[in-house]
Amino acid sequence: MSVSKKRQVDLKSLGILLQNDKEHFSIRFLSRAGNFTVTELSSLNILAQKYGRGYVGLTTRLQVEIPWIKNEDVEKVMEEAKELGLRHGGTGKKVRALVSCKGSICLHGNIDTQEICRQLEDKYFGTETPSKCKFSVVGCPNNCAKANINDIGVMGKTVPEYQEEKCVGCGLCVKACRQKALTLKDRKIIFDKELCVECGGCVRACNTKGFIAKEVGAEIFVGGRFGRGMRIADSLGKIFKEYEIIPMIDKIMEHYREIGEPGERISATMDRVGKKEFLATVLNKEL
């Protein structure tokens, strides 16, 4: 039996999506910065066995979906999920499920990506916006979670500073630099800053403080998107300390909600008003 259009729309706003057979639903359950507890995984297993076909699917935004839920079972799954402490959702003109890499524990991480993502989720997930709005938090320029093709992206950075008097010419920093921004000549480092992506690898590799961290924080990108239309986000052009990241995003979100037109993602708003004006406004905005 086909599902009415109204029911499809009502359930979609809850993260319950009609499948292409027009009879079954997939229910999207939400992680916290890409993590599920073992208890939550056990609960997902129970629901998938009882109401689905015994498996779950991972989404591209680090959530989990249980497919093959019968129309008549949807409310039962919702009620049992609530009792098990599971959350579902993630669609509509609102802030979508936030994505974070494992930068908090990764060897390359420069910022606490998981904690930043959790705080942003608590503040923004599911809140109304002119159009869908996606956040991503990555710990380094490896950019595993694609910060610059999200509406708002955060990328951890460590800006290195070379201290020649502390350098012993061991070459460990050269081996650590994947960008080949460093070369060793006469046991001294030649540092090509144009090639540096501020990953912090040289700082972590150096045991003598030949390289130190001049700045540690994050670059913030605005206005990216990917899919039916692609736009690489624009950088705000500076490194923000960890405690400055969320207040800066607050300014971006406030401005977007002030001037964004219905159905307009941040990228479209920036294209309409001019990216320079948009970025200048949020950088100078007082909350």
Side-chain angles (χ1 to χ4, degrees):
M1 182 181 297
S2 62
V3 179
S4 72
K5 187 67 176 178
K6 182 180 185 305
R7 181 163 171 80
Q8 292 179 46
V9 172
D10 290 345
L11 290 178
K12 185 177 180 180
S13 68
L14 301 173
I16 302 170
L17 311 173
L18 188 67
Q19 295 179 190
N20 61 9
D21 69 350
K22 304 294 193 277
E23 294 182 6
H24 293 86
F25 288 88
S26 293
I27 301 185
R28 183 175 299 165
F29 290 97
L30 303 171
S31 68
R32 287 276 284 169
N35 299 301
F36 287 94
T37 67
V38 291
T39 300
E40 289 168 339
L41 290 173
S42 295
S43 298
L44 289 167
N45 175 57
I46 290 169
L47 295 178
Q49 292 285 356
K50 187 173 181 180
Y51 295 105
R53 295 186 178 178
Y55 74 95
V56 301
L58 299 177
T59 76
T60 57
R61 296 192 69 81
L62 306 182
Q63 315 307 309
V64 164
E65 288 185 0
I66 298 179
W68 302 109
I69 306 295
K70 295 177 182 177
N71 186 24
E72 59 266 29
D73 287 337
V74 167
E75 279 71 22
K76 296 176 189 175
V77 177
M78 291 169 63
E79 183 61 31
E80 290 190 32
K82 184 176 179 180
E83 292 173 358
L84 291 167
L86 296 171
R87 304 174 302 144
H88 55 84
T91 60
K93 293 181 179 180
K94 58 186 71 173
V95 175
R96 300 293 184 87
L98 286 77
V99 174
S100 168
C101 75
K102 303 299 180 182
S104 302
I105 58 174
C106 176
L107 284 170
H108 306 293
N110 294 301
I111 56 174
D112 190 346
T113 57
Q114 301 274 292
E115 179 58 25
I116 293 166
C117 188
R118 286 191 292 265
Q119 290 185 32
L120 287 170
E121 179 185 285
D122 290 340
K123 194 165 196 175
Y124 285 113
F125 173 71
T127 58
E128 299 295 323
T129 44
S131 184
K132 64 182 176 182
C133 187
K134 297 180 178 182
F135 290 29
S136 177
V137 184
V138 301
C140 77
N142 287 349
N143 201 13
C144 294
K146 310 300 183 288
N148 50 4
I149 56 171
N150 280 257
D151 295 270
I152 298 177
V154 177
M155 180 183 291
K157 293 284 189 81
T158 293
V159 181
E161 184 174 90
Y162 180 49
Q163 300 191 113
E164 185 176 349
E165 70 279 6
K166 299 288 183 67
C167 178
V168 297
C170 67
L172 289 176
C173 58
V174 177
K175 293 178 181 178
C177 182
R178 292 168 55 184
Q179 300 306 116
K180 302 192 183 304
L182 306 177
T183 54
L184 186 63
K185 184 175 181 180
D186 298 327
R187 297 185 65 80
K188 293 298 179 183
I189 294 297
I190 299 172
F191 182 15
D192 186 343
K193 293 184 179 180
E194 293 297 316
L195 295 177
C196 179
V197 295
E198 299 168 348
C199 68
C202 57
V203 176
R204 287 185 288 272
C206 184
N207 297 317
T208 66
K209 298 191 182 302
F211 273 102
I212 61 170
K214 181 180 179 181
E215 290 183 88
V216 178
E219 189 172 6
I220 297 177
F221 298 91
V222 187
R225 62 175 296 168
F226 198 78
R228 291 178 180 266
M230 187 181 78
R231 184 183 189 279
I232 300 299
D234 291 289
S235 171
L236 289 182
K238 59 175 287 187
I239 302 298
F240 295 86
K241 294 180 172 60
E242 281 203 40
Y243 67 83
E244 297 175 317
I245 294 170
I246 293 176
M248 190 66 242
I249 290 174
D250 291 341
K251 294 179 182 182
I252 296 167
M253 290 298 289
E254 181 180 74
H255 190 49
Y256 173 44
R257 284 169 168 157
E258 284 175 348
I259 69 169
E261 296 182 351
E264 192 175 66
R265 289 184 68 170
I266 293 180
S267 57
T269 301
M270 291 173 68
D271 290 342
R272 175 171 55 82
V273 305
K275 70 178 183 180
K276 288 184 178 179
E277 180 179 332
F278 187 98
L279 297 178
T281 300
V282 298
L283 282 168
N284 296 312
K285 193 174 184 62
E286 292 185 9
L287 289 176

